[in-house]
Amino acid sequence: MVTFGIPDQRMMQAPRIQFNLSPRRLFAMTNSSPLSPSKPGNHSTSIRPSNSYWKRSLIAFLTCICFAIASDAQQQILKDTTTPPVTDILDVGQRIFKIAEDTSESISEPSMSLLPVIGYNPSFGGVLGVNIVMGKQKGDPSNTGYSVYAFGVTYGTKGILTFQARHNVFQSQNKWNFQGNWQFSKYGLLDHGLGTGNDVLCAGQFSIGDYPITLPDSVFPIKYNYVRLFEKAYRKLGAHTYAGAGISFDIYDKVNDVLLTDTTITPHQFYSLKHGFNPGKYSANGILLAFQFNNREHPIRSYGGVYFDINLRFDQKWMGSTRNSIQLLYDFRKYWSLSKQNPEHVLAFWHWGSYLLSGELPYLEMPYTGSDTYNRSGRAYTIGYFRGPSYAYFETEYRYPITRNKLISGVVFMNFQTASNDALQSVYEGWNYGGGAGFRFLFQKKSRSAVCVDFSMGQCGSNGIFFGLNEVF
């Protein structure tokens, strides 16, 4: 399958693979210990991993984040002083077709970037779609963040359909910040079991835009309907600090393990029965309490600053959730400009984490590769490759201009991810990594939007070419 533009996240269904999975191999994919699994349906006897190590690691990371925020609170972001004038793809098109160029420096007018999704796969036929990112400055740029809206629609001729709308909106003077993610989908993903650092999870595959063109035996396709309604509102407290709350409804229905038979059980089915979940449908609905520090000078392509968003999520049965649970989630990003003359030389760091503090999560609701807001983490692996009750992701990237007019730039990156499983392995005990390089083609200089093409390699023979609109983080 060949895909152009940004492929719609997690929308894949694999051809049926005929094989029987031994109980020993299945247990290895959901546990890291050769202990006997609990009897299906008895979720009160599940083995809990020792959590003292990951709790100490978490405290250490959060302490480092606090120091980074304190040292960055007064940072002044440098302005770009390089010449010649910046050129984007729109400028090139205007010159080719002899259209008068827009020389205005104003960013008050809305901006829009668009990429198509075009592909074909025998499992779900032809795939057509579009991804659109829009931006607008709703106040004075000196004290108001840049608002971003993202829309995506994808249709497959064999039953795949997704509508998704996301937004990050700043009102004048940043008095209010609204973040949301609304999604209505009928699609699937390729599951590899729980945990990281386990050779049994290996599935060598080459992907083009998140669609693998080979399907090893260790892959378990899952099809389902998914509805997500997520909204948070933040009120400004100080110069760069905000406090807020929100709600999230994540509803899974008509869950179908494609390879499930009378003689073959899948990791999803095994986990669901073990913990007393209905494998066919479940929900994770709850409320969120949040705190945010944000002094990035731009949300799409930042040259400096810190973004830190930390949340406590309480899934509650009275809201329709299948189980009660408490999670700690946070997103930390730090940017260093390495050149006074050209601030586009940037070293960037990203840490995203989700930790289950109490209760139990449905299988598909566990954090996974690519479960960040824009599903961009984990380059080298397809979305949903690794997952677990607790999950942490780390990435560092160096960004640099290639052409003097900034039309083309490049990146090199390295990422690490770790997840707990359903037995003795805690988060931070098993790891998988990936890395690579890529190009950026400046789409619109006013909004700094760019078309991204990345080449990445990971462990287990997993590698591919990944497309995107705007920086990964």
Side-chain angles (χ1 to χ4, degrees), residues 8 22 40 62 68 90 109 225 237 246 255 267 318 326 357 410 413 419 424:
D8 196 83
S22 68
L62 292 178
L90 297 181
E109 295 298 321
N225 294 345
L237 300 179
V255 182
W318 62 266
I326 302 176
L357 303 183
F413 56 88
L424 297 179

Side-chain angles (χ1 to χ4, degrees), residues 91-266:
D91 292 332
V92 174
Q94 290 169 342
R95 293 168 190 173
I96 292 175
F97 295 101
K98 298 181 179 180
I99 301 173
E101 296 183 25
D102 182 8
T103 59
S104 172
E105 297 294 331
S106 173
I107 61 173
S108 59
E109 295 298 321
S111 64
M112 184 177 72
S113 304
L114 179 150
L115 280 179
V117 177
I118 304 174
Y120 177 81
N121 183 280
S123 297
F124 44 81
V127 176
L128 296 174
V130 63
N131 288 275
I132 302 171
V133 176
M134 301 178 64
K136 182 174 177 58
Q137 189 71 51
K138 292 181 173 291
D140 185 343
S142 65
N143 58 26
T144 306
Y146 193 68
S147 297
V148 179
Y149 308 82
F151 306 91
V153 179
T154 303
Y155 169 75
T157 57
K158 292 188 178 180
I160 301 298
L161 183 64
T162 288
F163 300 91
Q164 187 169 24
R166 290 166 288 197
H167 60 266
N168 186 10
V169 178
F170 292 89
Q171 297 297 329
S172 179
Q173 299 182 25
N174 290 343
K175 291 182 178 179
W176 288 95
N177 173 220
F178 300 98
Q179 299 179 10
N181 186 345
W182 297 58
Q183 185 173 349
F184 304 88
S185 302
K186 182 179 180 180
Y187 55 73
L189 57 77
L190 299 179
D191 182 45
H192 298 79
L194 300 181
T196 49
N198 192 336
D199 290 342
V200 177
L201 302 177
C202 282
Q205 56 190 29
F206 181 80
S207 303
I208 298 179
D210 276 335
Y211 290 86
I213 60 177
T214 59
L215 296 171
D217 288 349
S218 59
V219 173
F220 296 87
I222 305 175
K223 298 173 61 179
Y224 54 96
N225 294 345
Y226 177 51
V227 174
R228 186 178 200 196
L229 304 175
F230 173 89
E231 197 72 38
K232 286 194 297 184
Y234 292 86
R235 176 65 178 178
K236 186 175 181 179
L237 300 179
H240 306 292
T241 56
Y242 307 81
I247 58 173
S248 182
F249 292 86
D250 294 272
I251 303 169
Y252 303 83
D253 190 25
K254 297 182 180 179
V255 182
N256 175 25
D257 282 285
V258 176
L259 299 182
L260 180 65
T261 67
D262 292 338
T263 58
T264 301
I265 190 170
T266 65

